[in-house]
Amino acid sequence: MLIPIHVSEDSAQPMYHQIEEQLRGLILSGQLAEGLLLPSIREFAQQLSCSVITIRRVYQDLESEGLLRTRQGTGTFVAKVGQTERERFRHDAVYEAFEHAVDVGLR
């Protein structure tokens, strides 16, 4: 499965942060459904041309947030995300976009 994540080596953000932020957004927006089996760490690292350590860190961070669930020997799955978390994500996304627009306007 190909997950629509795009990383830029030219970005000031570390690669793991770019991946984590985009994967979090895909989960919280509902684009990745609950129970979806994600690629293995090795597969995902290969797809994104990054290290296994980077993907392991992303998966661990998102698992500690409760967005992913790993089952030994089975894989990593998208966890159930409540409506409150989804609404907070949408609110934060709109707020950040507004802040960015104001910042650009002021420049």
Side-chain angles (χ1 to χ4, degrees):
M1 157 180 224
L2 285 177
I3 297 177
I5 291 182
H6 308 285
V7 291
S8 170
E9 292 181 14
D10 298 330
S11 174
Q13 290 184 324
M15 189 174 285
Y16 85 89
H17 187 71
Q18 293 178 56
I19 297 167
E20 185 175 300
E21 194 173 83
Q22 291 178 57
L23 189 55
R24 181 184 296 111
L26 290 168
I27 293 168
L28 289 172
S29 69
Q31 292 179 52
L32 296 180
E34 174 187 344
L36 177 72
L37 175 63
L38 296 180
S40 71
I41 290 172
R42 287 194 196 303
E43 287 176 314
F44 207 19
Q46 189 174 19
Q47 286 173 17
L48 297 176
S49 300
C50 67
S51 75
V52 169
I53 294 167
T54 298
I55 300 302
R56 181 176 294 125
R57 180 175 178 182
V58 169
Y59 278 14
Q60 287 173 340
D61 287 355
L62 294 178
E63 187 169 16
S64 70
E65 289 180 30
L67 298 177
L68 296 179
R69 198 171 296 133
T70 301
R71 289 189 218 139
Q72 196 66 23
T74 307
T76 302
F77 299 85
V78 174
K80 181 177 182 168
V81 178
Q83 191 61 32
T84 303
E85 288 88 355
R86 289 189 196 281
E87 288 173 10
R88 185 176 22 226
F89 172 75
R90 286 187 194 110
H91 175 270
D92 291 348
V94 169
Y95 185 79
E96 286 175 25
F98 182 72
E99 273 188 325
H100 179 70
V102 168
D103 189 41
V104 169
L106 290 173
R107 278 192 242 143

PDB file of all heavy atoms in Angstrom, residues 76-91:
ATOM      1  N   THR A  76       1.452  -3.025  12.101  1.00  0.00           N
ATOM      2  CA  THR A  76       1.021  -1.766  12.705  1.00  0.00           C
ATOM      3  C   THR A  76      -0.254  -1.304  12.022  1.00  0.00           C
ATOM      4  O   THR A  76      -0.323  -1.258  10.796  1.00  0.00           O
ATOM      5  CB  THR A  76       2.122  -0.696  12.571  1.00  0.00           C
ATOM      6  OG1 THR A  76       3.310  -1.184  13.207  1.00  0.00           O
ATOM      7  CG2 THR A  76       1.713   0.612  13.215  1.00  0.00           C
ATOM      8  N   PHE A  77      -1.253  -0.973  12.832  1.00  0.00           N
ATOM      9  CA  PHE A  77      -2.579  -0.625  12.345  1.00  0.00           C
ATOM     10  C   PHE A  77      -2.969   0.773  12.809  1.00  0.00           C
ATOM     11  O   PHE A  77      -2.516   1.237  13.852  1.00  0.00           O
ATOM     12  CB  PHE A  77      -3.624  -1.610  12.889  1.00  0.00           C
ATOM     13  CG  PHE A  77      -3.389  -3.030  12.473  1.00  0.00           C
ATOM     14  CD1 PHE A  77      -2.520  -3.842  13.186  1.00  0.00           C
ATOM     15  CD2 PHE A  77      -4.038  -3.554  11.367  1.00  0.00           C
ATOM     16  CE1 PHE A  77      -2.298  -5.153  12.801  1.00  0.00           C
ATOM     17  CE2 PHE A  77      -3.832  -4.863  10.980  1.00  0.00           C
ATOM     18  CZ  PHE A  77      -2.951  -5.663  11.692  1.00  0.00           C
ATOM     19  N   VAL A  78      -3.866   1.404  12.050  1.00  0.00           N
ATOM     20  CA  VAL A  78      -4.434   2.678  12.457  1.00  0.00           C
ATOM     21  C   VAL A  78      -5.408   2.396  13.599  1.00  0.00           C
ATOM     22  O   VAL A  78      -6.275   1.530  13.488  1.00  0.00           O
ATOM     23  CB  VAL A  78      -5.168   3.372  11.283  1.00  0.00           C
ATOM     24  CG1 VAL A  78      -5.873   4.634  11.755  1.00  0.00           C
ATOM     25  CG2 VAL A  78      -4.189   3.681  10.154  1.00  0.00           C
ATOM     26  N   ALA A  79      -5.251   3.109  14.701  1.00  0.00           N
ATOM     27  CA  ALA A  79      -6.114   2.927  15.870  1.00  0.00           C
ATOM     28  C   ALA A  79      -7.418   3.709  15.687  1.00  0.00           C
ATOM     29  O   ALA A  79      -7.542   4.551  14.800  1.00  0.00           O
ATOM     30  CB  ALA A  79      -5.394   3.412  17.128  1.00  0.00           C
ATOM     31  N   LYS A  80      -8.369   3.431  16.565  1.00  0.00           N
ATOM     32  CA  LYS A  80      -9.631   4.163  16.549  1.00  0.00           C
ATOM     33  C   LYS A  80      -9.374   5.581  17.051  1.00  0.00           C
ATOM     34  O   LYS A  80      -8.739   5.783  18.072  1.00  0.00           O
ATOM     35  CB  LYS A  80     -10.661   3.470  17.442  1.00  0.00           C
ATOM     36  CG  LYS A  80     -11.998   4.180  17.442  1.00  0.00           C
ATOM     37  CD  LYS A  80     -13.025   3.440  18.265  1.00  0.00           C
ATOM     38  CE  LYS A  80     -14.344   4.197  18.171  1.00  0.00           C
ATOM     39  NZ  LYS A  80     -15.441   3.429  18.685  1.00  0.00           N
ATOM     40  N   VAL A  81      -9.879   6.545  16.301  1.00  0.00           N
ATOM     41  CA  VAL A  81      -9.715   7.954  16.677  1.00  0.00           C
ATOM     42  C   VAL A  81     -11.100   8.522  16.947  1.00  0.00           C
ATOM     43  O   VAL A  81     -11.997   8.414  16.120  1.00  0.00           O
ATOM     44  CB  VAL A  81      -9.029   8.755  15.546  1.00  0.00           C
ATOM     45  CG1 VAL A  81      -8.905  10.211  15.928  1.00  0.00           C
ATOM     46  CG2 VAL A  81      -7.672   8.160  15.224  1.00  0.00           C
ATOM     47  N   GLY A  82     -11.249   9.109  18.114  1.00  0.00           N
ATOM     48  CA  GLY A  82     -12.540   9.651  18.507  1.00  0.00           C
ATOM     49  C   GLY A  82     -12.891  10.934  17.772  1.00  0.00           C
ATOM     50  O   GLY A  82     -12.029  11.614  17.208  1.00  0.00           O
ATOM     51  N   GLN A  83     -14.161  11.267  17.802  1.00  0.00           N
ATOM     52  CA  GLN A  83     -14.651  12.481  17.139  1.00  0.00           C
ATOM     53  C   GLN A  83     -14.012  13.734  17.719  1.00  0.00           C
ATOM     54  O   GLN A  83     -13.724  14.684  17.006  1.00  0.00           O
ATOM     55  CB  GLN A  83     -16.185  12.542  17.252  1.00  0.00           C
ATOM     56  CG  GLN A  83     -16.808  13.616  16.389  1.00  0.00           C
ATOM     57  CD  GLN A  83     -16.540  13.415  14.892  1.00  0.00           C
ATOM     58  OE1 GLN A  83     -16.430  12.294  14.414  1.00  0.00           O
ATOM     59  NE2 GLN A  83     -16.416  14.496  14.173  1.00  0.00           N
ATOM     60  N   THR A  84     -13.776  13.740  19.016  1.00  0.00           N
ATOM     61  CA  THR A  84     -13.165  14.903  19.663  1.00  0.00           C
ATOM     62  C   THR A  84     -11.782  15.181  19.089  1.00  0.00           C
ATOM     63  O   THR A  84     -11.451  16.329  18.791  1.00  0.00           O
ATOM     64  CB  THR A  84     -13.054  14.676  21.186  1.00  0.00           C
ATOM     65  OG1 THR A  84     -14.353  14.400  21.698  1.00  0.00           O
ATOM     66  CG2 THR A  84     -12.469  15.872  21.886  1.00  0.00           C
ATOM     67  N   GLU A  85     -10.969  14.115  18.913  1.00  0.00           N
ATOM     68  CA  GLU A  85      -9.633  14.284  18.356  1.00  0.00           C
ATOM     69  C   GLU A  85      -9.702  14.793  16.928  1.00  0.00           C
ATOM     70  O   GLU A  85      -8.933  15.649  16.512  1.00  0.00           O
ATOM     71  CB  GLU A  85      -8.843  12.966  18.398  1.00  0.00           C
ATOM     72  CG  GLU A  85      -8.417  12.558  19.788  1.00  0.00           C
ATOM     73  CD  GLU A  85      -9.471  11.726  20.507  1.00  0.00           C
ATOM     74  OE1 GLU A  85     -10.585  11.532  19.960  1.00  0.00           O
ATOM     75  OE2 GLU A  85      -9.186  11.264  21.615  1.00  0.00           O
ATOM     76  N   ARG A  86     -10.649  14.256  16.144  1.00  0.00           N
ATOM     77  CA  ARG A  86     -10.807  14.692  14.752  1.00  0.00           C
ATOM     78  C   ARG A  86     -11.195  16.174  14.691  1.00  0.00           C
ATOM     79  O   ARG A  86     -10.667  16.925  13.886  1.00  0.00           O
ATOM     80  CB  ARG A  86     -11.858  13.857  14.039  1.00  0.00           C
ATOM     81  CG  ARG A  86     -11.407  12.443  13.762  1.00  0.00           C
ATOM     82  CD  ARG A  86     -12.406  11.731  12.854  1.00  0.00           C
ATOM     83  NE  ARG A  86     -12.206  10.299  12.870  1.00  0.00           N
ATOM     84  CZ  ARG A  86     -11.255   9.663  12.194  1.00  0.00           C
ATOM     85  NH1 ARG A  86     -10.409  10.344  11.464  1.00  0.00           N
ATOM     86  NH2 ARG A  86     -11.140   8.358  12.254  1.00  0.00           N
ATOM     87  N   GLU A  87     -12.136  16.586  15.548  1.00  0.00           N
ATOM     88  CA  GLU A  87     -12.566  17.987  15.561  1.00  0.00           C
ATOM     89  C   GLU A  87     -11.428  18.906  16.008  1.00  0.00           C
ATOM     90  O   GLU A  87     -11.247  19.984  15.441  1.00  0.00           O
ATOM     91  CB  GLU A  87     -13.785  18.153  16.465  1.00  0.00           C
ATOM     92  CG  GLU A  87     -15.045  17.569  15.863  1.00  0.00           C
ATOM     93  CD  GLU A  87     -16.229  17.573  16.811  1.00  0.00           C
ATOM     94  OE1 GLU A  87     -16.139  18.201  17.889  1.00  0.00           O
ATOM     95  OE2 GLU A  87     -17.242  16.947  16.460  1.00  0.00           O
ATOM     96  N   ARG A  88     -10.659  18.480  16.986  1.00  0.00           N
ATOM     97  CA  ARG A  88      -9.522  19.284  17.454  1.00  0.00           C
ATOM     98  C   ARG A  88      -8.493  19.430  16.335  1.00  0.00           C
ATOM     99  O   ARG A  88      -7.937  20.503  16.119  1.00  0.00           O
ATOM    100  CB  ARG A  88      -8.888  18.650  18.688  1.00  0.00           C
ATOM    101  CG  ARG A  88      -7.782  19.497  19.277  1.00  0.00           C
ATOM    102  CD  ARG A  88      -7.189  18.940  20.550  1.00  0.00           C
ATOM    103  NE  ARG A  88      -7.418  17.511  20.687  1.00  0.00           N
ATOM    104  CZ  ARG A  88      -7.834  16.920  21.808  1.00  0.00           C
ATOM    105  NH1 ARG A  88      -8.068  17.634  22.868  1.00  0.00           N
ATOM    106  NH2 ARG A  88      -8.008  15.624  21.854  1.00  0.00           N
ATOM    107  N   PHE A  89      -8.258  18.339  15.581  1.00  0.00           N
ATOM    108  CA  PHE A  89      -7.317  18.389  14.469  1.00  0.00           C
ATOM    109  C   PHE A  89      -7.793  19.393  13.418  1.00  0.00           C
ATOM    110  O   PHE A  89      -7.022  20.218  12.932  1.00  0.00           O
ATOM    111  CB  PHE A  89      -7.158  17.005  13.834  1.00  0.00           C
ATOM    112  CG  PHE A  89      -6.347  17.025  12.565  1.00  0.00           C
ATOM    113  CD1 PHE A  89      -4.972  17.169  12.613  1.00  0.00           C
ATOM    114  CD2 PHE A  89      -6.967  16.920  11.328  1.00  0.00           C
ATOM    115  CE1 PHE A  89      -4.221  17.198  11.440  1.00  0.00           C
ATOM    116  CE2 PHE A  89      -6.229  16.948  10.157  1.00  0.00           C
ATOM    117  CZ  PHE A  89      -4.850  17.091  10.216  1.00  0.00           C
ATOM    118  N   ARG A  90      -9.070  19.342  13.060  1.00  0.00           N
ATOM    119  CA  ARG A  90      -9.614  20.266  12.059  1.00  0.00           C
ATOM    120  C   ARG A  90      -9.490  21.713  12.543  1.00  0.00           C
ATOM    121  O   ARG A  90      -9.088  22.602  11.795  1.00  0.00           O
ATOM    122  CB  ARG A  90     -11.074  19.925  11.760  1.00  0.00           C
ATOM    123  CG  ARG A  90     -11.230  18.684  10.935  1.00  0.00           C
ATOM    124  CD  ARG A  90     -12.690  18.459  10.515  1.00  0.00           C
ATOM    125  NE  ARG A  90     -12.845  17.111  10.018  1.00  0.00           N
ATOM    126  CZ  ARG A  90     -13.505  16.149  10.634  1.00  0.00           C
ATOM    127  NH1 ARG A  90     -14.123  16.388  11.764  1.00  0.00           N
ATOM    128  NH2 ARG A  90     -13.582  14.947  10.117  1.00  0.00           N
ATOM    129  N   HIS A  91      -9.838  21.935  13.804  1.00  0.00           N
ATOM    130  CA  HIS A  91      -9.738  23.278  14.382  1.00  0.00           C
ATOM    131  C   HIS A  91      -8.292  23.774  14.334  1.00  0.00           C
ATOM    132  O   HIS A  91      -8.033  24.905  13.915  1.00  0.00           O
ATOM    133  CB  HIS A  91     -10.251  23.269  15.827  1.00  0.00           C
ATOM    134  CG  HIS A  91     -10.070  24.567  16.533  1.00  0.00           C
ATOM    135  ND1 HIS A  91      -8.925  24.861  17.247  1.00  0.00           N
ATOM    136  CD2 HIS A  91     -10.864  25.657  16.618  1.00  0.00           C
ATOM    137  CE1 HIS A  91      -9.024  26.074  17.739  1.00  0.00           C
ATOM    138  NE2 HIS A  91     -10.189  26.583  17.385  1.00  0.00           N
TER     139      HIS A  91
END
